[in-house]
Amino acid sequence: MEKNYFSEEITLEDGSTIEICGPIEAEKLRHLNMHEQLVAFRIPEEQKEALVEIAELPEGRIVGAIHNDTLVGYITFHYPDPYERWAEGNMEDLLELGAIEVAKDYRQYGLAKKMMAIAFKDSVMDQFIVISTEYYWHWDLKNTGLSVWDYRKIMESIMSSVGMEYFATDDPEICSHPANLLMARIGKEVPLESIEAFDNLRFKNRHMY
């Protein structure tokens, strides 16, 4: 898959800059430090290894926010994991936004939306259906003090900033809690047959009685 690199900087009060960029190559990721607060999924060093592995995938994309050679936020894109229903269609034009995380000390800078904007600057993304499965148990409710519903509003705002929309589904994990949701962005170059295949993945039990 073609990967076109985009980058922009924001200047902080102390004069230092945060580079928001991607897709970041695996070799560059290896030389970055991971911020100690990036612990939503696993300890920072283990998460760094996971990011490098994703960056090495043909379809894998890492968009990040870098401050003083330290990764302070990231978004991952890759094909759905084989055990997920979203992989069952073997769709070459369906990508999953697998994770989005920003270190707690950097959340006031709007990095999540800025990283999303960089990710979708690449016109190649218009060839894909990009999905995001949002589960409340991945949300940082403890440090934010937000309710699941307020946090969900934030996630919807971040995703919708690049044209992702809410899609209904009968997926058991998403249906297991009313705050969970499926969001997706259907690129303008995605063919009708892929949209129909995505619809079939969303509702697998529509013919059950």
Side-chain angles (χ1 to χ4, degrees):
M1 179 208 286
E2 185 181 355
K3 300 180 184 181
N4 300 305
Y5 184 84
F6 293 89
S7 175
E8 66 177 44
E9 291 184 347
I10 59 173
T11 303
L12 306 187
E13 298 85 350
D14 62 2
S16 64
T17 59
I18 298 176
E19 183 188 14
I20 301 152
C21 57
I24 305 174
E25 294 183 355
E27 192 59 30
K28 182 173 181 177
L29 284 168
R30 288 191 182 94
H31 290 91
L32 292 175
N33 301 310
M34 286 285 284
H35 196 281
E36 61 184 9
Q37 294 172 350
L38 297 176
V39 294
F41 301 97
R42 51 181 70 83
I43 62 173
E45 280 308 305
E46 290 182 0
Q47 183 62 12
K48 178 179 175 179
E49 291 176 12
L51 296 180
V52 169
E53 290 177 4
I54 292 170
E56 289 176 331
L57 295 171
E59 83 286 357
R61 289 170 173 259
I62 305 295
V63 173
I66 302 169
H67 185 220
N68 296 333
D69 295 321
T70 296
L71 193 70
V72 300
Y74 63 85
I75 305 175
T76 69
F77 297 90
H78 48 74
Y79 285 139
D81 290 330
Y83 61 85
E84 294 181 321
R85 78 153 60 181
W86 314 108
E88 292 176 11
N90 294 314
M91 296 177 61
E92 293 185 355
D93 53 1
L94 188 148
L95 286 178
E96 183 170 15
L97 193 166
I100 180 169
E101 185 178 13
V102 176
K104 181 166 63 73
D105 288 350
Y106 289 80
R107 290 178 185 166
Q108 71 267 35
Y109 302 117
L111 297 182
K113 284 186 178 180
K114 293 183 191 312
M115 289 190 294
M116 289 288 280
I118 286 289
F120 287 92
K121 269 193 173 185
D122 192 346
S123 61
V124 170
M125 299 298 271
D126 286 333
Q127 301 171 15
F128 290 87
I129 298 172
V130 180
I131 66 168
S132 177
T133 51
E134 296 298 327
Y135 305 118
Y136 82 92
W137 50 81
H138 287 158
W139 299 342
D140 190 7
L141 302 175
K142 179 181 177 181
N143 284 315
T144 60
L146 296 173
S147 70
V148 290
W149 300 109
D150 287 337
Y151 206 106
R152 173 178 159 144
K153 287 179 183 176
I154 290 175
M155 297 308 298
E156 285 183 284
S157 175
I158 292 169
M159 300 298 164
S160 64
S161 70
V162 292
M164 298 187 81
E165 302 175 272
Y166 167 80
F167 281 81
T169 179
D170 60 12
D171 177 71
E173 276 201 287
I174 291 175
C175 294
S176 69
H177 191 281
N180 296 345
L181 73 159
L182 169 69
M183 296 193 75
R185 178 186 186 271
I186 298 177
K188 59 186 178 183
E189 297 178 27
V190 173
L192 179 59
E193 55 265 30
S194 293
I195 297 173
E196 292 173 346
F198 175 51
D199 288 341
N200 290 332
L201 288 175
R202 289 196 295 122
F203 292 103
K204 296 185 66 176
N205 301 315
R206 69 173 83 199
H207 301 303
M208 293 182 67
Y209 298 92

